[in-house]
Amino acid sequence: MSVREVGRSMVHVAALGGILVAAACGGGGGGEGSPQMLTGAGATFPYPVYSKWFHAFNQATGHQINYQSVGSGAGVKQFAENTVDFGATDGPMTDDEIAAVGGKVLHIPTVLGAVALTWNLPGVTALRLDGPAVADIFQGRITKWNDPRLVALNPGTALPDRELIVVHRSDGSGTSFIFTDYLAKVSPAWKSSVGAGKSIAWPVGLGGKGNEGVTQQIKQVEGSLGYVELIYAMSNSLPSAALKNSNGDFVMPTLESVSAAAAGTTFGPDTDFRVSITDAAGAGAYPISSFTWLLVHPTLPDAAKAKALHQFLDWMVTPEAMAMAAELHYAPLPAPVVELVKTRIATLQ
Amino acid sequence: MPTTPPPDDVATSDASLALSAWGDRIFKGLLVASALAAPALLVALLWQLLSGAAPAIGAFGFSFITDSIWDPVAEKFGALPLVFGTLLTSFLALLLAVPLSLGVAIYLTEFAPERIRQPIAMVIELLAAIPSVVYGLWGIFVMIPILQSSVYPFLEANFGWLPIFQGPIYGPSVLSASLILTIMVMPFIMSVAREVLLAVPAGQREAATALGATRWEAVTTAIVPYAKSGIVGAIILGLGRALGETMAVTMLIGNRHDIAASLFAPGYSMAAVIANEFAEAGLGTLHASALTYVALILFAVTVLVNAAARLMIWRMNRGAGK
């Protein structure tokens, strides 16, 4: 359904762009404001909001942005090879990758994503967990639902003497990266023996392909617990566990609690935005949250394209654009971060 | 000087002769080019795989095939559970599919009433046309719930003393993947085996019957032995299909990089790990190179299997020509 809608809006974008390009050429065009064609590639997770943004931006300005949601890894690769005007990724580029492009990259945070823990256990409709317990579950150290630590976290909930079956993503994904980045922060044992990454050597559990694969396995196996993207959990009405954040509060994943995680993180004025906001401090901050980024060259060789991209980035952080993100269940950037992003965009040439 | 000019028709026929000679040459050139394109592609593919896998081959050598750790974070890679998973699921699929397909093929060529032979063969061949993602979805939504609620508990209760039927039942498992592969390779084996049995000369059948053999004896002593090499070729074609199957296996095998004794436990296969991890592996990383190395091993295994199938069919044809 949504794919079809996206497809239809893409057709609109293409048609409108074509008309505008034709009009500009007919008018002798080539001036400063002539419609530009920009290409981008990368992360699949923010694709719905990007596609909506690019469509709205096209209607407002005539600039056409063509985005291929090929995955974060491929986005970084295409950005480094200069086959696209901008990239997009769920995990920031590593120092090695930045060195490979000669340091010529700006990370611009766009929206926030989060990872929700969901489960299938008849009779249990709410669940409270903390970081060390989640790390031990995914390391196979907690194997029963009535483990004393889970019981202590969930007073008043009758947890059965039942095997706890772990479900994780089998495909390389930004969701796994955010989740394991969090586990590595809250559990030294996880950090030393498993680590963080898009593809993981999981100590236990079943692997499902994609959010839908994980969800299907959880639905079919009673006693299972796994993680999915928050938007996927919300749009499919899956139960989500409340997680204990570093303030000691139990927080449900919501748009507000995810934005709070970004707001609670302090950025230096010269930040490159490559910050992990998992296990963020601050009241009401949901601990498994993350930015997703656009990758932009500080200087684009084509001045007209650079101008159009700059224009888009300025537009993207307007309240109007951020509200579009919230409609699609993406947590918008909190105000202090928007201000920082604006000053960073101003440095673009 | 009255010289008679050559009649027009001779001139045109000469010209058209020259033209058609050119046409022949162009046609031949095109044919040669298309004939060379296939082997050239194969060589290009092999070269691409070798150069992509070179860093992983340099880092791990042949111990890649005997190591069991697959840790993209620590960049340690060993493919033994993948090779094992691919071979085990394919072997199990053949174990179940071969008797079933041969049974169908023998029934359809020797025993079935004439008017149902073609319809049944067609229906089974239709199974081959179903996309593998559809098999995968059907496996998740229909087959696994049935297996989980009845078949697996039955196996555990009655054959639980065997290590292969022990341990928790999750649903996605080596056995589930093998069963979907069984359904997927059956039409291939069945249709080739049927063609082979149809090619057995009527004389074989008549001779056996003339010697007083029953129908069963004719099948086991005269017909199947005659078609033996062709049937082996059919089985190897099915094996090739099972080894390379990706989508349905990825959806049903559980994607666990491990070698377990129990068939109820999740496993992994070579094609499945490539489908899962390649998109996000990042070009130039050791992870991507290790996945290419896996692809190279899979390529080598399937080429060997296909070469064996060709050899079998060639032997069968030579046998039939005598």
Side-chain angles (χ1 to χ4, degrees):
Chain A
M1 188 73 164
S2 68
V3 171
R4 207 174 303 153
E5 277 164 17
V6 166
R8 206 178 300 143
S9 70
M10 294 294 281
V11 171
H12 285 307
V13 171
L16 199 65
I19 291 164
L20 285 163
V21 167
C25 293
E32 270 202 343
S34 70
Q36 293 295 315
M37 279 266 281
L38 295 170
T39 54
T44 46
F45 149 71
Y47 175 63
V49 63
Y50 286 180
S51 146
K52 184 166 184 170
W53 277 349
F54 297 152
H55 177 56
F57 182 67
N58 174 267
Q59 290 190 323
T61 65
H63 296 309
Q64 189 183 337
I65 302 177
N66 177 12
Y67 182 76
Q68 305 290 321
S69 62
V70 288
S72 297
V76 170
K77 193 182 82 197
Q78 293 199 24
F79 175 79
E81 288 168 352
N82 274 320
T83 51
V84 289
D85 298 316
F86 65 91
T89 181
D90 291 338
M93 286 170 75
T94 60
D95 292 339
D96 287 348
E97 283 169 340
I98 290 180
V101 297
K104 292 192 173 62
V105 59
L106 277 184
H107 285 72
I108 308 283
T110 54
V111 288
L112 292 147
V115 174
L117 285 155
T118 185
W119 70 94
N120 171 4
L121 191 62
V124 177
T125 52
L127 197 62
R128 284 151 50 113
L129 295 167
D130 65 4
V134 176
D136 282 356
I137 288 170
F138 279 81
Q139 277 183 105
R141 291 180 181 179
I142 292 178
T143 56
K144 293 275 187 185
W145 277 100
N146 64 348
D147 186 279
R149 288 169 60 197
L150 298 186
V151 171
L153 283 164
N154 294 279
T157 306
L159 291 169
D161 177 16
R162 209 178 169 138
E163 204 183 347
L164 199 164
I165 295 155
V166 166
V167 184
H168 56 75
R169 289 281 288 267
S170 63
D171 48 334
S173 88
T175 308
S176 293
F177 174 79
I178 297 164
F179 183 62
T180 53
D181 180 55
Y182 168 68
L183 294 183
K185 278 188 190 174
V186 295
S187 159
W190 182 276
K191 189 175 184 179
S192 60
S193 66
V194 187
K198 288 174 182 166
S199 294
I200 292 292
W202 294 98
V204 289
L206 297 165
K209 190 163 161 46
N211 285 307
E212 62 286 356
V214 169
T215 307
Q216 200 50 45
Q217 293 200 352
I218 290 173
K219 280 185 178 163
Q220 285 181 356
V221 182
E222 280 186 8
S224 60
L225 179 136
Y227 65 93
V228 291
E229 243 163 39
L230 175 60
I231 293 171
Y232 189 84
M234 284 175 130
S235 46
N236 289 277
S237 310
L238 303 175
S240 301
L243 269 177
K244 193 175 181 178
N245 68 12
S246 59
N247 265 23
D249 313 328
F250 284 93
V251 182
M252 289 291 291
T254 61
L255 299 192
E256 295 73 32
S257 66
V258 173
S259 279
T265 309
T266 42
F267 297 90
D270 56 346
T271 177
D272 62 0
F273 292 113
R274 285 193 302 146
V275 275
S276 152
I277 57 164
T278 52
D279 197 30
Y286 183 71
I288 323 182
S289 307
S290 171
F291 288 119
T292 181
W293 294 267
L294 288 184
L295 304 171
V296 181
H297 286 280
T299 49
L300 266 181
D302 183 334
K305 274 189 176 180
K307 199 172 154 61
L309 186 58
H310 198 152
Q311 201 181 343
F312 170 73
L313 295 173
D314 281 336
W315 177 83
M316 182 190 85
V317 290
T318 58
E320 176 202 0
M322 283 291 145
M324 287 183 187
E327 269 172 39
L328 294 172
H329 302 310
Y330 290 86
L333 300 176
V337 179
V338 167
E339 289 312 311
L340 269 176
V341 170
K342 277 183 182 166
T343 55
R344 192 53 40 85
I345 295 170
T347 68
L348 282 173
Q349 324 217 318
Chain B
M1 266 212 315
T3 47
T4 22
D8 270 4
D9 58 327
V10 175
T12 37
S13 82
D14 267 0
S16 71
L17 210 67
L19 209 70
S20 76
W22 268 107
D24 271 2
R25 255 176 248 171
I26 293 167
F27 185 54
K28 188 183 167 196
L30 281 174
L31 290 184
V32 170
S34 43
L36 289 179
L41 268 177
L42 195 73
V43 171
L45 187 67
L46 189 62
W47 185 82
Q48 190 73 42
L49 283 177
L50 276 170
S51 64
I57 295 173
F60 308 110
F62 283 108
S63 68
F64 187 74
I65 305 173
T66 54
D67 278 355
S68 300
I69 296 168
W70 185 272
D71 188 342
V73 179
E75 299 208 313
K76 284 199 175 63
F77 299 102
L80 184 63
L82 306 171
V83 178
F84 176 80
T86 297
L87 294 178
L88 177 63
T89 49
S90 302
F91 172 76
L92 279 177
L94 284 191
L95 200 67
L96 297 168
V98 166
L100 207 60
S101 332
L102 290 188
V104 174
I106 291 170
Y107 175 72
L108 288 183
T109 51
E110 306 298 328
F111 296 97
E114 201 65 50
R115 72 200 138 77
I116 69 160
R117 290 184 179 191
Q118 204 57 37
I120 290 184
M122 267 178 65
V123 166
I124 292 174
E125 279 164 24
L126 269 181
L127 287 175
I130 298 173
S132 62
V133 65
V134 174
Y135 274 113
L137 286 172
W138 179 82
I140 287 179
F141 290 109
V142 181
M143 191 181 82
I144 283 190
I146 294 173
L147 293 175
Q148 245 182 321
S149 62
S150 53
V151 180
Y152 289 174
F154 169 82
L155 286 174
E156 196 180 32
N158 294 285
F159 302 97
W161 46 275
L162 285 168
I164 56 168
F165 295 126
Q166 285 170 3
I169 296 166
Y170 301 117
S173 63
V174 169
L175 190 53
S176 302
S178 306
L179 289 173
I180 204 80
L181 279 179
T182 303
I183 299 171
M184 294 176 78
V185 302
M186 218 199 79
F188 288 84
I189 301 177
M190 196 286 301
S191 62
V192 176
R194 195 177 74 100
E195 296 298 329
V196 169
L197 290 173
L198 284 175
V200 173
Q204 286 280 325
R205 231 169 251 116
E206 285 157 11
T209 321
L211 288 172
T214 62
R215 265 173 141 185
W216 169 248
E217 283 164 346
V219 166
T220 51
T221 60
I223 296 166
V224 170
Y226 187 90
K228 197 172 64 187
S229 63
I231 289 172
V232 173
I235 294 169
I236 289 178
L237 279 177
L239 177 61
R241 166 101 174 127
L243 288 170
E245 176 48 41
T246 309
M247 202 60 203
V249 171
T250 308
M251 291 163 91
L252 297 182
I253 200 167
N255 300 313
R256 172 131 203 84
H257 197 86
D258 199 7
I259 296 177
S262 172
L263 297 179
F264 293 152
Y268 223 149
S269 82
M270 291 192 268
V273 77
I274 296 169
N276 271 324
E277 295 185 5
F278 198 77
E280 289 288 345
L283 205 78
T285 58
L286 196 57
H287 186 193
S289 180
L291 289 170
T292 315
Y293 197 174
V294 171
L296 184 66
I297 296 170
L298 184 57
F299 182 77
V301 171
T302 31
V303 163
L304 283 177
V305 165
N306 272 305
R310 293 284 141 226
L311 196 70
M312 291 294 173
I313 286 161
W314 175 71
R315 276 185 54 191
M316 178 193 75
N317 287 344
R318 207 182 47 167
K322 262 186 223 162

